[in-house]
Amino acid sequence: MPEREPSPALRGAAPGGPSPALVRALRKLLRPLVRLMLAHGVTYTYLADLLKGLFVEVAEQDFRLDDKPPTDSRVSLVSGVHRKDVARLRGLLASAEAIEPSVVPRGAQLVAHWMGHPKYLLEDGGPRPLARLASEGGELSFEALVASVNSDIRSRVVLDEWLSLGVVHLDEAGRVCLNTAAFVPSRGADEKAFYLGHNLHDHAAAAVHNLLAGQPPFMERSVHYSGLAPASVERLNKMSEQMGMKVLLALNKAAMDAEAQDQADAGRDGLPPPEQRFTFGMYFYSERSAAPPPPTDGQEAP
């Protein structure tokens, strides 16, 4: 049986579509985000449903002709989302309701079922330890719990993953016990998530503006080297933190003064309060450089 041809996205380009360089950049950009999503139980199905709403929203708002609202057919053409889904999602956008994915991540479903169904709870309301297999505990087993939520995945796969992530542990009797703190966000997690969205959005928005030849271009620069020892990276990290804080503090003071002056000027002139915003940020990241590709055509590595 002949092997299936890889999809254009995996090959790096689509006929008449994005350039291979752009596809490589998107794969690199999305990789840490996919890692974050998988770590928090956001599956491909969940993300795909979320992206539907975003594709419709951006096509509807940013790809208008003559500043007129596009038809469902045009949004479908631009976004690739089926016209029936476009009509449904545009209705949600118009109603100002939050468009949330309709598919709940499997991990969250399992935990919600475990902590919400009376038969899986102890008298004090805590999650009941479950036998690993249905042959041992019947309905009160981890295998039965997984099957009740999704019969297409083996409970052993979920168990191994959850043991690795610390979501569950095995007690002295070999029963599966839910670590109730595993799905409770750590202190400050919501704030970190807010700045993740805020900072990465503004950085990406500036880079996309420049890539699409927006005028005037935004400042978007970096310094990067790849042949350094760990001690040198640590020294440069401390240096960047010290120098960066000086810049941030100076810019923060200037922005506070400017905001107070702008608000006062608007009030004096009877104008609405100014609403223009900006973000200036900096970051430092380090990892081991990628290993060189393996030799091909029988050549030996140098």
Side-chain angles (χ1 to χ4, degrees), residues 41-42 49 81 127 129 166 182 188 195 203 236 248 257 259 267 294:
V42 179
D49 207 34
V81 177
Y195 283 109
H203 190 168
L236 292 167
L248 289 173
D257 294 342
E259 183 180 58

Side-chain angles (χ1 to χ4, degrees), residues 136 171 300:
E136 301 169 349
D171 64 11
E300 294 184 0

Side-chain angles (χ1 to χ4, degrees), residues 106 110 131-134 136 141-147 150-164 168 170 176:
R106 183 180 297 119
L110 286 171
R132 294 176 61 176
L133 303 175
E136 301 169 349
S141 66
F142 187 74
E143 184 178 18
L145 169 67
V146 173
N150 190 315
S151 59
D152 295 330
I153 188 168
R154 294 170 55 198
S155 62
R156 177 59 185 270
V157 174
V158 179
L159 178 59
D160 288 345
E161 180 68 11
W162 279 14
L163 287 170
S164 174
V168 297
L170 300 179
V176 184

Side-chain angles (χ1 to χ4, degrees), residues 53-71 74-75 78-79 86 89-90 92-97 99 201:
L54 283 172
F55 268 77
V56 169
E57 181 179 347
V58 173
E60 203 273 341
Q61 295 179 359
D62 297 354
F63 287 83
R64 297 188 172 195
L65 296 176
D66 300 325
D67 212 23
K68 297 178 180 178
T71 63
R74 172 164 170 76
V75 172
V78 171
S79 66
V86 167
L89 292 167
R90 290 182 82 181
L92 290 176
L93 285 170
S95 69
E97 294 180 21
I99 299 179
H201 169 273

Side-chain angles (χ1 to χ4, degrees), residues 250-268 271-279:
L251 194 57
N252 180 67
K253 184 180 185 307
M256 287 178 63
D257 294 342
E259 183 180 58
Q261 186 62 53
D262 293 346
Q263 297 284 341
D265 291 346
R268 183 195 62 217
L271 300 174
E275 296 179 339
Q276 194 73 17
R277 73 175 187 89
F278 85 98
T279 297

Side-chain angles (χ1 to χ4, degrees), residues 295-300:
T296 57
D297 301 328
Q299 298 177 357
E300 294 184 0

Side-chain angles (χ1 to χ4, degrees), residues 10-31:
L10 293 179
R11 291 200 306 270
S19 69
L22 177 59
V23 173
R24 284 195 296 270
L26 289 173
R27 286 176 60 85
K28 191 167 187 176
L29 167 68
L30 292 171
R31 195 181 192 286

